[in-house]
């Protein structure tokens, strides 16, 4: 200490005196220095010297002085000075928890606060506070450095848990080997504690250290403490791979795989789980990296040992071995100079063996994608000639699960090769002579159409005669379902490749969508529990503007609890511009989900209940020593407090209740803002996206977008849109007059003040495709409105030189975007039946118009306060805004009338049926894939369904009656 | 491919492929998290490509509470399969068998007497799975389930309580023949 404090040479005699215990002399010297120049340092040094005095009176005086110092709350800038006081304090009161916090902790905190940029200082003070157990000041200090905070706390945690790890190590070395019961109390004793050790070490970014722990026999995956915790092996393989320790990885995985197939003393394969796919992957990776023949041979030998009929390991593990053979063949092609033509035989072999397992396609997909064009062509030819499953060729009966699964796997491969791999069509081979490019320039529409047709045909043949032939439980899906999904997906892609027509029902796009819908609805009569079909149907009905049918498909999912967070988006994202009103068709009056608001409220209730459930279990984990679980559960808590879906439920509820007054006032109008942290739209950390996109069926190639992404008709939920929506709600709230009983003018004034204090962020136009066109125009209007309010209501801005120029340009922008929105609505060419895009444009346009109209009322009183001529010109601008808003609302209303009238005309059911069975009028006759299959379709079912679709359109337009001027 | 890993709390955001199946119930978060809190090592997932959840098993290890000590329905220390579910796209691959044998091994290593579970009487597929692994019906719990998925008209369905003795029960004291005929009420089971 003394060494550190040597300010300069002149101080040496003082410290010599102190060290010699000659405090009188030391004091004299300090006083001399102080007489020359009073500095904080010498003041402190004096107190320090006095603290060393054996006299009680001196010690009391020191304490008093220190107390006063902290009371004054004056920041001392130099750390040395603060540390002298700390030393002095320690001399006077060696074990004084509380007063240390109050005096020295406070001095340290004041010191840090006075120099916010000095990180070194803060680190030292932080550590000092922690050492003394002054968590309050430690926390304050660490909060000043959020980016450093984790590191600081992490170091502490690491220090603590590292000590425990060492204790475990030493105890095991010195005591009887590996008996966890004999470990000292302060040591790591459970798998959860080991996981915590890794969590802490990982947080500090110390992979080497983690590997060291894992390699230690007392702390690693084989230690007695680990109790076989598999996660530790996962960590170890991963770390070895990241560290490129190939030889070690190779030896480790090789021995794990051998152990997996070796019986224990009781004749059991008790370690079969070591044949996990991640072990195989690591084995192959290391073998390839080692680049010589022996490792590759070892992989093949291990595969053979696993596949030996005498090896009794479960089939799930054997399949890994077979797949490992495919993998080694593919990855070793270049380093081992294997002939590329190995690749097709190995794929065929795998297919022959596992083609009857539903996983075969998923397993092979990443490899098939790597085939070169020639190989792809060869594989495709084999598939088209049905030459893969030789043994079963005679077996024409597809009504066995095995056979149908084989068929499905080959169809999926065909889809991959012809309609999902993007490069294919560039180099179309012999098998596709008839192919021609689709209008989207991506896939050959004729091969899509052919595939849609073939798959549908095989599907219809398989389900012909009902489920009875298949020996299924009522809760089982039908084994042929994927054929139907595949066909529907091809139709979906065809729809996306077609352009919209001037009359929806005469265009190819709607025809494809309707065909896919009809096919899936029919399939559901054979396979009610198939949720992937329901998911696709929600999307298709959304496109068609059939709200109640979409709701019907949604209800079939039977979502509960957390699923309300992960899957609500499928129907409820943008529900306020799709079907904000009660469902009166297909959903019974007594159903608790008759109105969208009820569903959204149910979702919000789940969030409220969850908080408590989660916190309760953080405590329970702690109680049971499940330390790792604490972090995991906490992660859910943090994630769930800010999901896109939660924000969606608030935004949509608010928009709906702004449009349709709810009969039961029970909190519906506030939209459930309480489930979100305040001012979330302005917070720095992004919203968490917990929406489940992965449960949609997906047979696409792995490098490209998933099917869920391909089949979006509108941009998905995004952080950007969510923030815009929340900010827009803030503005809408401000414009809402506050009734006298809720605070009236005063409340309105304070709302304005807080709006001005933290005005909504200005959202620049996004570069990506994140908003629909009507949403983009509305964003522009809201942006302009927020800026105008700030100009008009914030007096400080009035003096700005550019004030009037800016205000004028905002006024102009607002009028322009309203006008553009009006023309967008007016130009809806094909409004009957109203597809989702039409409904969306109308509701969105209405919302923008209505808000602008309220805005002009709000502003008319405020603008009067602006001094000079600007007040009058803003008054005029305001009138223009009001008029533009009015025109927009008028246009929306007119379109609504036209749509309703159009739907009243008859013949729609026939048009739907024609569109499905014949394709668009007269034009391209081969648009209808189902046309040729009509004999296999249940036509009466089809007619009933067409009736429902039309009924659903009628139900959808009921909501338009709320869009009044 | 087959790959197992421990269930992570955030998997509740990803378990729809298994939980949208009608035979798999989705409970509130308290349910899942209390298992993660108490028996994290008995809650495991089979992962598909891209980390999708193909299957999971939730288990626990416990005995009946002490006050039941003298009840005829008292259960000694045993492993219990609370949930076992495989997504419809990953069935018949052996995942259920692999996951339940891993629970049996844990039961053995914690010296439990047996593994047990409840299964709907109509769920022949699951029964076949368990029978194939050496489980047998120990008793029938009348109207254990409040609905009948096969027949919406009915208001309840029986459960079979199935058991497999573990190493500790070398004498097979905790299993019985023709357990289907041994009826108990839902309040008798714990
Ligand atoms: C029951 C269930 C878990 C089986 O999962 P799985 O992974 O498909 O089963 P496995 O592949 O491990 O099958 C093991 C054995 O069970 C039997 N089995 C499984 N599915 C069967 C079926 N559809 N028909 C006949 N036997 C079947 C077979 O004997 C099979 O062995 P084999 O394939 O070597 O002939 C799965 O169907 C499921 O998730 N069902 C819904 C949820 C449920 O019922 N859970 C059980 C609650 S207790």
């Amino acid at each position: 200490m003394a060494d550190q404090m040597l300010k300069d040479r002149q101080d040496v005699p003082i410290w010599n005196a102190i060290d010699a215990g000659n405090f009188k002399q030391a004091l004299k010297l300090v006083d001399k220095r102080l007489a020359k120049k009073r500095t904080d340092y010498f003041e402190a040094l004096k107190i320090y010297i006095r603290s060393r005095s054996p006299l009680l009176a001196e010690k009391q005086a020191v304490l008093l002085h220190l107390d006063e110092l902290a009371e004054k709350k004056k920041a001392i800038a130099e750390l040395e000075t603060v540390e002298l006081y700390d030393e002095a304090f320690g001399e006077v009161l060696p074990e004084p928890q509380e007063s240390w916090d109050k005096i020295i902790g406070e001095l340290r905190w004041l010191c840090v606060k006075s120099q916010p940029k000095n990180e070194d200082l803060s680190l030292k003070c932080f550590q000092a506070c922690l050492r003394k157990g002054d968590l309050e000041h430690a926390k304050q200090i660490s909060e000043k450095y959020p980016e450093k905070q984790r590191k600081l706390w992490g170091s502490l945690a690491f220090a603590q848990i590292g000590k425990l790890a060492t204790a475990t190590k030493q105890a095991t070395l010195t005591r009887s080997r590996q008996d966890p019961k004999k470990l000292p109390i302060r040591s790591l004793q459970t798998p959860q504690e080991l996981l915590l050790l890794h969590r802490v070490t990982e947080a500090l970014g110390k992979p080497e250290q983690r590997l060291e722990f894992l390699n230690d026999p007392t702390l690693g995956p084989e230690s007695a403490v680990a109790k076989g915790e598999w996660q530790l092996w996962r960590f170890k393989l991963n770390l070895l791979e990241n560290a490129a320790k190939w030889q070690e990885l190779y030896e480790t995985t090789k021995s794990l795989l051998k152990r997996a197939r070796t019986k224990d003393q009781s004749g059991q394969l008790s370690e079969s789980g070591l044949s996990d796919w991640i072990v195989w992957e690591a084995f192959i990776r290391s073998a390839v990296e080692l680049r010589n023949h022996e490792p590759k041979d070892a992989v093949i030998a291990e595969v053979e040992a696993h596949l030996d009929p005498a090896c009794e390991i479960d089939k799930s593990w054997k399949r890994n071995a077979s797949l490992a053979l495919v993998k080694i063949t593919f990855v070793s092609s270049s380093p081992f100079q294997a002939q590329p033509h190995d690749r097709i035989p190995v794929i065929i072999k795998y297919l022959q063996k596992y083609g009857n397992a539903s996983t075969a396609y998923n397993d092979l997909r990443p490899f098939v994608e790597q085939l070169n064009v020639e190989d792809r062509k060869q594989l495709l030819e084999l598939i088209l000639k049905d030459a893969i499953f030789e043994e079963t060729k005679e077996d024409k009966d597809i009504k066995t699960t095995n056979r149908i699964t084989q068929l499905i796997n080959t169809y999926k491969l065909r889809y991959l090769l012809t309609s999902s791999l993007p490069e294919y069509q560039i180099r179309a081979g012999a098998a596709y002579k008839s192919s021609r490019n689709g209008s989207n320039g991506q896939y050959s529409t004729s091969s899509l159409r052919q595939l849609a047709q073939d798959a549908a045909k095989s599907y219809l043949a398989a389900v012909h005669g009902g489920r009875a032939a298949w020996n299924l439980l009522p809760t089982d899906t039908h084994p042929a379902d994927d054929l139907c999904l595949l066909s529907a997906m091809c139709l979906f892609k065809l729809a996306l490749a077609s352009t919209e027509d001037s009359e929806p029902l005469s265009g190819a796009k709607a025809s494809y969508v309707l065909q896919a819908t009809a096919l899936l609805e029919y399939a559901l009569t054979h396979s009610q529990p198939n949720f992937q079909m329901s998911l696709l149907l929600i999307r298709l009905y959304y496109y068609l503007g059939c709200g109640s049918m979409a709701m019907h498909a949604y209800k079939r999912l039977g979502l509960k609890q957390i699923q309300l967070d992960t899957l609500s988006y499928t129907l409820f994202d943008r529900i306020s511009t799709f079907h904000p009103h009660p469902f009166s068709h297909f959903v019974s009056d007594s159903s608790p989900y008759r109105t969208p608001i009820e569903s959204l409220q149910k979702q919000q209730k789940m969030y409220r209940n969850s908080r408590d459930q989660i916190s309760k279990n953080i405590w329970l984990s702690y109680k049971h020593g499940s330390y790792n679980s604490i972090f995991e559960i906490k992660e859910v808590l943090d994630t769930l407090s800010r999901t896109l879906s939660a924000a969606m439920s608030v935004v949509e509820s608010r928009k709906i209740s702004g449009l349709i007054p709810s009969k039961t006032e029970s909190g519906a109008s506030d939209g459930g803002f309480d489930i979100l942290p305040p001012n979330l739209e302005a917070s720095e950390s992004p919203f968490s996206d917990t929406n489940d996109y992965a449960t949609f069926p997906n047979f696409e190639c792995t490098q490209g977008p998933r099917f869920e992404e391909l089949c979006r008709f509108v941009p998905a939920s995004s952080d950007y849109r969510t923030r815009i929506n929340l900010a827009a709600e803030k503005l809408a709230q401000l414009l809402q007059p506050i009734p006298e009983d809720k605070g009236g003018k005063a409340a309105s004034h304070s709302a304005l003040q807080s709006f001005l204090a933290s005005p909504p962020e200005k959202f620049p136009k996004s570069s990506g495709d994140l908003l629909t066109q009507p949403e983009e125009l509305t964003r522009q209007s809201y942006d302009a409105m927020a800026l105008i309010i700030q100009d008009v209501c914030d007096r400080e801005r009035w003096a700005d030189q550019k004030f009037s120029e800016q205000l004028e340009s905002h006024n102009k922008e607002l009028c322009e975007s309203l006008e553009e929105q009006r023309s967008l609505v007016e130009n809806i060419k094909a409004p009957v039946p109203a597809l989702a895009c039409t409904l969306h444009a109308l509701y969105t346009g209405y919302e923008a118009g209505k808000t602008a109209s309220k805005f002009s009322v709000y502003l008319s009183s405020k603008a009067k306060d602006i001094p000079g001529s600007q007040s009058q010109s803003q008054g005029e601008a305001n009138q223009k805004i009001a008029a533009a808003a009015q025109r927009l609302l008028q246009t929306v209303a007119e379109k609504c009338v036209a749509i309703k009238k159009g739907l009243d005309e008859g013949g729609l059911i026939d048009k739907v049926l024609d569109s499905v069975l014949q394709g668009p009028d007269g034009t391209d006759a081969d648009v209808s894939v189902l046309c040729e299959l009509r004999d296999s379709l249940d036509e009466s079912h089809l007619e009933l369904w067409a009736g429902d679709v039309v009924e659903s359109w009628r139900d959808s337009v009921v909501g338009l009656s709320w869009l009044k001027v | 491919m087959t790959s197992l890993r421990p269930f992570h709390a955030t998997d509740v955001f990803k378990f729809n492929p298994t939980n949208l199946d009608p035979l798999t119930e989705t409970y509130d978060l308290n349910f899942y998290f209390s298992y993660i809190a108490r028996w994290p090592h008995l809650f495991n997932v089979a992962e598909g490509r891209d980390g999708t959840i193909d299957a999971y098993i939730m288990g626990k290890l416990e005995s009946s509470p002490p006050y039941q000590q003298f009840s005829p329905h008292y259960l000694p220390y045993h492993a219990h399969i609370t949930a076992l579910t495989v997504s419809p796209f990953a069935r018949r691959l052996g995942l259920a068998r692999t996951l339940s044998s891993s629970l049996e091994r844990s039961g053995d290593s914690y010296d439990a007497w047996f593994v047990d579970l409840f299964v709907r009487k109509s769920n022949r597929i699951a029964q076949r799975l368990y029978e194939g692994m050496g489980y047998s019906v120990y008793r029938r719990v009348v109207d254990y389930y409040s609905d009948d998925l096969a027949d919406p008209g009915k208001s309840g369905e029986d459960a079979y309580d199935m058991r497999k003795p573990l190493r500790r029960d070398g004498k097979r004291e905790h299993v019985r023949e023709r357990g289907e005929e041994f009826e108990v009420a839902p309040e008798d089971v714990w």
Side-chain angles (χ1 to χ4, degrees), chain A residues 192 230-231 234 270 276-277 316-317 319-320 358 362-363 532 560 563 566 613 617 621 626 629 632 692, chain B residues 1-4 6 8-9 16 25-26 28-30 34 36-37 40 49 89 92-93 98 105 110 125:
Chain A
Q192 281 281 311
W230 173 236
Q231 186 60 43
R234 293 174 57 96
S270 55
D276 197 281
W277 181 242
S316 48
W317 304 125
R319 219 180 31 251
N320 278 355
S358 53
N362 269 351
D363 285 345
Q532 291 192 321
K560 282 183 182 161
Q563 294 172 321
T566 54
Q613 293 166 5
N617 283 293
S621 305
S626 302
S629 305
E632 293 187 2
D692 173 7
Chain B
M1 50 161 280
T2 306
S3 184
L4 306 189
H8 189 288
N16 290 321
E25 185 63 40
T26 300
D28 63 18
L29 292 179
N30 187 41
S34 63
I36 301 182
R49 277 205 192 274
F89 340 112
R92 259 352 243 287
L93 303 174
T98 299
R105 272 200 289 281
Y110 283 84
I125 293 180

Side-chain angles (χ1 to χ4, degrees), chain A residues 315, chain B residues 84 86 91-94 96-97 118 123 125 128-129:
Chain A
K315 68 176 174 190
Chain B
L84 170 62
V86 179
R91 298 226 171 126
R92 259 352 243 287
L93 303 174
R97 192 171 19 221
F118 296 110
N123 193 348
I125 293 180
R128 214 167 300 165
L129 156 81

Side-chain angles (χ1 to χ4, degrees), chain A residues 409-435:
Chain A
N409 278 319
T410 48
Y411 264 112
K412 287 179 184 170
L413 285 172
R414 185 175 148 195
Y415 177 75
L416 178 69
L417 292 166
T418 62
S419 307
S420 183
L421 283 170
E423 325 92 307
Y424 174 74
Q425 51 98 205
I426 306 165
R427 299 177 224 183
Y432 306 95
K433 286 225 175 73
S434 62
S435 300

Side-chain angles (χ1 to χ4, degrees), chain A residues 314-316 319 401 470-473 475-476, chain B residues 18 21-25 54-56 81-88 90-100 117-120 123-133 145 160 162:
Chain A
D314 270 348
K315 68 176 174 190
S316 48
R319 219 180 31 251
T401 306
W470 291 87
N471 187 26
L472 299 170
L473 295 180
T475 44
D476 283 337
Chain B
T18 48
D21 186 75
L23 278 172
T24 305
E25 185 63 40
D54 278 353
Y56 65 82
I81 298 182
T82 303
L84 170 62
T85 170
V86 179
S87 92
R91 298 226 171 126
R92 259 352 243 287
L93 303 174
L95 292 180
R97 192 171 19 221
T98 299
L99 286 169
S100 41
L117 58 101
F118 296 110
V119 56
R120 285 179 186 267
N123 193 348
R124 296 189 315 273
I125 293 180
Q127 288 156 32
R128 214 167 300 165
L129 156 81
Y130 294 123
E131 280 157 16
M133 296 186 65
Y145 297 101
Y160 284 144
M162 296 184 82

Side-chain angles (χ1 to χ4, degrees), chain A residues 287-335:
Chain A
V288 171
E289 295 288 344
L290 288 174
R291 284 169 191 272
N292 68 47
H293 277 282
E294 193 270 322
K296 190 201 170 188
D297 297 343
V299 173
I300 290 174
E302 191 51 61
V303 166
E304 282 166 1
H306 265 76
L307 296 182
D308 184 341
C311 171
E312 290 166 21
I313 198 163
D314 270 348
K315 68 176 174 190
S316 48
W317 304 125
K318 287 212 176 203
R319 219 180 31 251
N320 278 355
S322 299
L323 193 58
L325 188 64
V326 180
K327 178 142 184 153
I328 190 78
T329 310
F330 272 74
V331 295
S332 64
S333 304
S334 56

Side-chain angles (χ1 to χ4, degrees), chain A residues 60-204:
Chain A
Q60 265 170 357
V62 167
L63 202 57
L64 208 66
H65 182 89
L66 289 173
D67 212 18
E68 279 170 8
L69 206 60
E71 285 280 294
K72 275 193 221 146
K73 296 213 178 290
K74 179 183 158 249
I76 298 168
E78 282 180 358
L79 183 61
E80 287 95 329
T81 310
V82 177
E83 291 194 325
L84 271 178
Y85 283 126
D86 197 349
E87 289 274 310
F89 186 89
E91 292 292 332
V92 182
L93 287 176
E95 292 291 335
Q97 180 53 52
E98 264 175 50
S99 18
W100 192 95
D101 300 3
K102 210 175 98 212
I103 298 172
I104 307 297
E106 182 69 16
L107 286 183
R108 286 191 177 272
W109 161 233
L110 291 169
C111 176
V112 169
K113 217 163 70 166
S114 71
Q115 298 163 71
K117 293 222 169 83
N118 189 340
E119 289 187 12
D120 186 49
L121 170 73
S122 81
L123 179 68
K124 285 189 174 135
C125 289
F126 173 80
Q127 282 168 343
C129 290
L130 275 183
R131 252 197 320 271
K132 294 285 181 184
D134 178 7
L135 295 184
E136 202 38 57
H137 284 115
K139 204 172 131 229
Q140 278 176 304
I141 294 172
S142 67
E143 277 166 4
K144 265 219 128 10
Y145 295 94
E147 72 284 8
K148 286 271 180 285
Q149 185 184 4
R150 281 174 65 119
K151 223 173 155 191
L152 295 175
W153 287 103
S155 324
L156 176 74
F158 181 68
Q160 295 300 320
I161 201 160
K163 252 192 252 170
L164 301 183
T166 314
T168 308
K169 251 183 348 197
Q170 282 168 353
T172 330
L173 288 178
T174 51
R175 295 173 194 217
S176 79
R177 279 192 65 79
Q178 303 245 338
D179 183 355
K181 287 184 193 119
K182 295 232 174 83
L183 289 171
I185 298 177
R186 288 185 60 76
S187 61
L188 298 181
Q189 319 207 358
T190 65
Q192 281 281 311
E193 289 169 357
L194 287 179
L195 293 177
L196 183 62
L197 172 70
H198 282 277
R199 190 177 276 278
V200 172
T201 324
E202 185 184 15
L204 290 178

